[in-house]
């Protein structure tokens, strides 16, 4: 059974930092591309950061320079360090694992940034 469990969400003031962590089980973690996505209220889910199985990283312009994704294949974890948070970063953040046609999602963790 595949499980992606996120942790680290919460309430933070604008300009602050949070670190999200996702622990995976039931998959061959090292061969999966891992990512963080978010969905704000009334908005579409969007990619926040992706790190491929061979370490390539991609960010959208909205978070580049503020967010950092990292993975630890020995611990089956993928983290998202979020700095200089803005009100518009408020959303539910989801962990994603993708390999070939297989894709899995975590339950999500709420991040709320107060202005």
């Amino acid at each position: 059974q595949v499980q992606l469990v996120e942790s680290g969400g919460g309430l933070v003031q604008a300009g602050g930092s949070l670190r999200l962590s996702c622990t995976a089980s039931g998959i061959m973690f090292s061969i999966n591309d891992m990512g963080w996505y978010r969905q704000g209220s009334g908005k579409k889910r969007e990619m926040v950061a992706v790190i491929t199985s061979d370490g390539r990283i991609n960010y959208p312009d909205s978070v580049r320079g503020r967010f950092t994704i990292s993975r630890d294949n020995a611990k089956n974890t993928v983290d998202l360090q979020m700095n200089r948070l803005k009100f518009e970063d408020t959303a539910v953040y989801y962990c994603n694992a993708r390999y070939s046609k297989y894709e899995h999602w975590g339950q999500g963790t709420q991040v709320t940034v107060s202005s």
Side-chain angles (χ1 to χ4, degrees):
Q1 181 182 0
V2 178
Q3 278 194 310
L4 301 178
V5 180
E6 302 102 334
S7 62
L11 174 64
V12 64
Q13 286 190 328
S17 298
L18 278 177
R19 187 176 184 90
L20 305 182
S21 186
C22 171
T23 301
S25 59
I27 59 172
M28 289 181 67
F29 184 83
S30 63
I31 66 172
N32 276 261
D33 295 342
M34 300 300 298
W36 286 95
Y37 291 71
R38 68 186 179 188
Q39 188 166 15
S41 180
K43 298 181 181 179
K44 285 182 164 181
R45 191 172 295 191
E46 62 177 353
M47 185 269 285
V48 175
V50 170
I51 182 166
T52 65
S53 59
D54 59 356
R56 287 172 289 133
I57 292 173
N58 190 30
Y59 305 103
D61 289 344
S62 58
V63 308
R64 187 176 292 113
R66 299 188 298 122
F67 290 11
T68 303
I69 190 171
S70 60
R71 66 188 295 163
D72 186 333
N73 289 341
K75 297 180 179 179
N76 286 9
T77 58
V78 57
D79 292 348
L80 183 69
Q81 177 66 41
M82 305 186 292
N83 298 328
R84 303 199 310 276
L85 282 160
K86 304 177 181 180
F87 175 75
E88 50 264 40
D89 294 319
T90 296
V92 178
Y93 283 69
Y94 297 91
C95 180
N96 174 270
R98 187 175 302 169
Y99 174 71
S100 185
K101 62 180 181 179
Y102 303 102
E103 185 173 44
H104 307 284
W105 293 92
Q107 294 282 75
T109 185
Q110 176 71 44
V111 172
T112 302
V113 184
S114 62
S115 57

